[in-house]
PDB file of all heavy atoms in Angstrom:
ATOM      1  N   TYR A 741      -7.741 -19.226  12.448  1.00 77.00           N
ATOM      2  CA  TYR A 741      -8.499 -19.184  11.199  1.00 77.00           C
ATOM      3  C   TYR A 741      -9.974 -19.440  11.453  1.00 77.00           C
ATOM      4  O   TYR A 741     -10.844 -18.797  10.848  1.00 77.00           O
ATOM      5  CB  TYR A 741      -7.956 -20.217  10.214  1.00 77.00           C
ATOM      6  CG  TYR A 741      -6.756 -19.733   9.435  1.00 77.00           C
ATOM      7  CD1 TYR A 741      -5.555 -20.436   9.458  1.00 77.00           C
ATOM      8  CD2 TYR A 741      -6.818 -18.581   8.660  1.00 77.00           C
ATOM      9  CE1 TYR A 741      -4.454 -19.994   8.749  1.00 77.00           C
ATOM     10  CE2 TYR A 741      -5.719 -18.133   7.947  1.00 77.00           C
ATOM     11  CZ  TYR A 741      -4.539 -18.849   7.997  1.00 77.00           C
ATOM     12  OH  TYR A 741      -3.451 -18.414   7.293  1.00 77.00           O
ATOM     13  N   ALA A 742     -10.246 -20.379  12.338  1.00 78.00           N
ATOM     14  CA  ALA A 742     -11.643 -20.690  12.635  1.00 78.00           C
ATOM     15  C   ALA A 742     -12.349 -19.503  13.279  1.00 78.00           C
ATOM     16  O   ALA A 742     -13.503 -19.190  12.943  1.00 78.00           O
ATOM     17  CB  ALA A 742     -11.727 -21.916  13.538  1.00 78.00           C
ATOM     18  N   GLU A 743     -11.634 -18.819  14.200  1.00 77.00           N
ATOM     19  CA  GLU A 743     -12.244 -17.691  14.891  1.00 77.00           C
ATOM     20  C   GLU A 743     -12.382 -16.464  13.996  1.00 77.00           C
ATOM     21  O   GLU A 743     -13.289 -15.665  14.177  1.00 77.00           O
ATOM     22  CB  GLU A 743     -11.402 -17.328  16.126  1.00 77.00           C
ATOM     23  CG  GLU A 743     -11.425 -18.405  17.210  1.00 77.00           C
ATOM     24  CD  GLU A 743     -10.471 -18.077  18.344  1.00 77.00           C
ATOM     25  OE1 GLU A 743      -9.702 -17.092  18.196  1.00 77.00           O
ATOM     26  OE2 GLU A 743     -10.481 -18.797  19.365  1.00 77.00           O
ATOM     27  N   HIS A 744     -11.449 -16.298  13.037  1.00 78.00           N
ATOM     28  CA  HIS A 744     -11.445 -15.107  12.185  1.00 78.00           C
ATOM     29  C   HIS A 744     -11.808 -15.426  10.743  1.00 78.00           C
ATOM     30  O   HIS A 744     -11.503 -14.662   9.835  1.00 78.00           O
ATOM     31  CB  HIS A 744     -10.068 -14.427  12.224  1.00 78.00           C
ATOM     32  CG  HIS A 744      -9.669 -13.976  13.587  1.00 78.00           C
ATOM     33  ND1 HIS A 744      -9.088 -14.820  14.501  1.00 78.00           N
ATOM     34  CD2 HIS A 744      -9.778 -12.759  14.201  1.00 78.00           C
ATOM     35  CE1 HIS A 744      -8.842 -14.145  15.614  1.00 78.00           C
ATOM     36  NE2 HIS A 744      -9.243 -12.904  15.466  1.00 78.00           N
ATOM     37  N   LEU A 745     -12.447 -16.569  10.546  1.00 77.00           N
ATOM     38  CA  LEU A 745     -12.790 -16.973   9.178  1.00 77.00           C
ATOM     39  C   LEU A 745     -13.702 -15.948   8.514  1.00 77.00           C
ATOM     40  O   LEU A 745     -13.500 -15.579   7.351  1.00 77.00           O
ATOM     41  CB  LEU A 745     -13.458 -18.350   9.195  1.00 77.00           C
ATOM     42  CG  LEU A 745     -13.868 -18.911   7.832  1.00 77.00           C
ATOM     43  CD1 LEU A 745     -12.638 -19.066   6.943  1.00 77.00           C
ATOM     44  CD2 LEU A 745     -14.571 -20.248   7.994  1.00 77.00           C
ATOM     45  N   GLU A 746     -14.666 -15.471   9.260  1.00 78.00           N
ATOM     46  CA  GLU A 746     -15.605 -14.498   8.693  1.00 78.00           C
ATOM     47  C   GLU A 746     -14.885 -13.208   8.303  1.00 78.00           C
ATOM     48  O   GLU A 746     -15.133 -12.644   7.225  1.00 78.00           O
ATOM     49  CB  GLU A 746     -16.701 -14.197   9.712  1.00 78.00           C
ATOM     50  CG  GLU A 746     -17.785 -13.266   9.164  1.00 78.00           C
ATOM     51  CD  GLU A 746     -18.908 -13.054  10.161  1.00 78.00           C
ATOM     52  OE1 GLU A 746     -18.878 -13.699  11.233  1.00 78.00           O
ATOM     53  OE2 GLU A 746     -19.798 -12.236   9.878  1.00 78.00           O
ATOM     54  N   GLU A 747     -13.964 -12.763   9.185  1.00 80.00           N
ATOM     55  CA  GLU A 747     -13.205 -11.558   8.872  1.00 80.00           C
ATOM     56  C   GLU A 747     -12.337 -11.750   7.634  1.00 80.00           C
ATOM     57  O   GLU A 747     -12.232 -10.850   6.785  1.00 80.00           O
ATOM     58  CB  GLU A 747     -12.325 -11.167  10.062  1.00 80.00           C
ATOM     59  CG  GLU A 747     -13.119 -10.784  11.302  1.00 80.00           C
ATOM     60  CD  GLU A 747     -12.213 -10.454  12.467  1.00 80.00           C
ATOM     61  OE1 GLU A 747     -10.981 -10.415  12.249  1.00 80.00           O
ATOM     62  OE2 GLU A 747     -12.716 -10.233  13.583  1.00 80.00           O
ATOM     63  N   LEU A 748     -11.683 -12.929   7.531  1.00 79.00           N
ATOM     64  CA  LEU A 748     -10.834 -13.197   6.376  1.00 79.00           C
ATOM     65  C   LEU A 748     -11.655 -13.226   5.090  1.00 79.00           C
ATOM     66  O   LEU A 748     -11.226 -12.704   4.056  1.00 79.00           O
ATOM     67  CB  LEU A 748     -10.110 -14.536   6.567  1.00 79.00           C
ATOM     68  CG  LEU A 748      -9.038 -14.561   7.672  1.00 79.00           C
ATOM     69  CD1 LEU A 748      -8.539 -15.983   7.885  1.00 79.00           C
ATOM     70  CD2 LEU A 748      -7.876 -13.648   7.311  1.00 79.00           C
ATOM     71  N   VAL A 749     -12.836 -13.832   5.171  1.00 82.00           N
ATOM     72  CA  VAL A 749     -13.704 -13.883   3.988  1.00 82.00           C
ATOM     73  C   VAL A 749     -14.119 -12.469   3.585  1.00 82.00           C
ATOM     74  O   VAL A 749     -14.118 -12.105   2.398  1.00 82.00           O
ATOM     75  CB  VAL A 749     -14.942 -14.760   4.270  1.00 82.00           C
ATOM     76  CG1 VAL A 749     -15.950 -14.630   3.141  1.00 82.00           C
ATOM     77  CG2 VAL A 749     -14.534 -16.213   4.438  1.00 82.00           C
ATOM     78  N   GLN A 750     -14.462 -11.646   4.586  1.00 83.00           N
ATOM     79  CA  GLN A 750     -14.856 -10.268   4.293  1.00 83.00           C
ATOM     80  C   GLN A 750     -13.700  -9.483   3.680  1.00 83.00           C
ATOM     81  O   GLN A 750     -13.891  -8.691   2.751  1.00 83.00           O
ATOM     82  CB  GLN A 750     -15.340  -9.585   5.574  1.00 83.00           C
ATOM     83  CG  GLN A 750     -16.664 -10.127   6.090  1.00 83.00           C
ATOM     84  CD  GLN A 750     -17.086  -9.470   7.388  1.00 83.00           C
ATOM     85  OE1 GLN A 750     -16.323  -8.720   7.988  1.00 83.00           O
ATOM     86  NE2 GLN A 750     -18.297  -9.754   7.839  1.00 83.00           N
ATOM     87  N   GLU A 751     -12.481  -9.713   4.217  1.00 84.00           N
ATOM     88  CA  GLU A 751     -11.305  -9.007   3.691  1.00 84.00           C
ATOM     89  C   GLU A 751     -11.036  -9.405   2.246  1.00 84.00           C
ATOM     90  O   GLU A 751     -10.781  -8.548   1.396  1.00 84.00           O
ATOM     91  CB  GLU A 751     -10.096  -9.331   4.559  1.00 84.00           C
ATOM     92  CG  GLU A 751      -8.835  -8.576   4.154  1.00 84.00           C
ATOM     93  CD  GLU A 751      -7.658  -8.894   5.050  1.00 84.00           C
ATOM     94  OE1 GLU A 751      -7.867  -9.552   6.095  1.00 84.00           O
ATOM     95  OE2 GLU A 751      -6.534  -8.484   4.714  1.00 84.00           O
ATOM     96  N   ARG A 752     -11.083 -10.717   1.966  1.00 84.00           N
ATOM     97  CA  ARG A 752     -10.857 -11.176   0.598  1.00 84.00           C
ATOM     98  C   ARG A 752     -11.958 -10.665  -0.333  1.00 84.00           C
ATOM     99  O   ARG A 752     -11.690 -10.283  -1.477  1.00 84.00           O
ATOM    100  CB  ARG A 752     -10.816 -12.708   0.560  1.00 84.00           C
ATOM    101  CG  ARG A 752      -9.659 -13.317   1.332  1.00 84.00           C
ATOM    102  CD  ARG A 752      -8.318 -12.976   0.695  1.00 84.00           C
ATOM    103  NE  ARG A 752      -7.227 -13.624   1.369  1.00 84.00           N
ATOM    104  CZ  ARG A 752      -6.568 -13.130   2.398  1.00 84.00           C
ATOM    105  NH1 ARG A 752      -6.903 -11.936   2.867  1.00 84.00           N
ATOM    106  NH2 ARG A 752      -5.587 -13.802   2.966  1.00 84.00           N
ATOM    107  N   THR A 753     -13.182 -10.642   0.178  1.00 87.00           N
ATOM    108  CA  THR A 753     -14.298 -10.137  -0.636  1.00 87.00           C
ATOM    109  C   THR A 753     -14.101  -8.661  -0.952  1.00 87.00           C
ATOM    110  O   THR A 753     -14.351  -8.212  -2.076  1.00 87.00           O
ATOM    111  CB  THR A 753     -15.629 -10.337   0.116  1.00 87.00           C
ATOM    112  OG1 THR A 753     -15.801 -11.727   0.421  1.00 87.00           O
ATOM    113  CG2 THR A 753     -16.801  -9.866  -0.739  1.00 87.00           C
ATOM    114  N   LYS A 754     -13.617  -7.903   0.054  1.00 86.00           N
ATOM    115  CA  LYS A 754     -13.347  -6.481  -0.156  1.00 86.00           C
ATOM    116  C   LYS A 754     -12.268  -6.285  -1.206  1.00 86.00           C
ATOM    117  O   LYS A 754     -12.385  -5.420  -2.090  1.00 86.00           O
ATOM    118  CB  LYS A 754     -12.925  -5.841   1.159  1.00 86.00           C
ATOM    119  CG  LYS A 754     -12.654  -4.356   1.048  1.00 86.00           C
ATOM    120  CD  LYS A 754     -12.210  -3.788   2.386  1.00 86.00           C
ATOM    121  CE  LYS A 754     -11.875  -2.300   2.268  1.00 86.00           C
ATOM    122  NZ  LYS A 754     -11.403  -1.740   3.564  1.00 86.00           N
TER     123      LYS A 754
END
Side-chain angles (χ1 to χ4, degrees):
Y741 277 123
E743 293 174 352
H744 300 83
L745 180 61
E746 184 176 355
E747 296 178 6
L748 291 172
V749 171
Q750 291 178 352
E751 184 179 350
R752 296 294 184 271
T753 302
K754 181 181 178 182

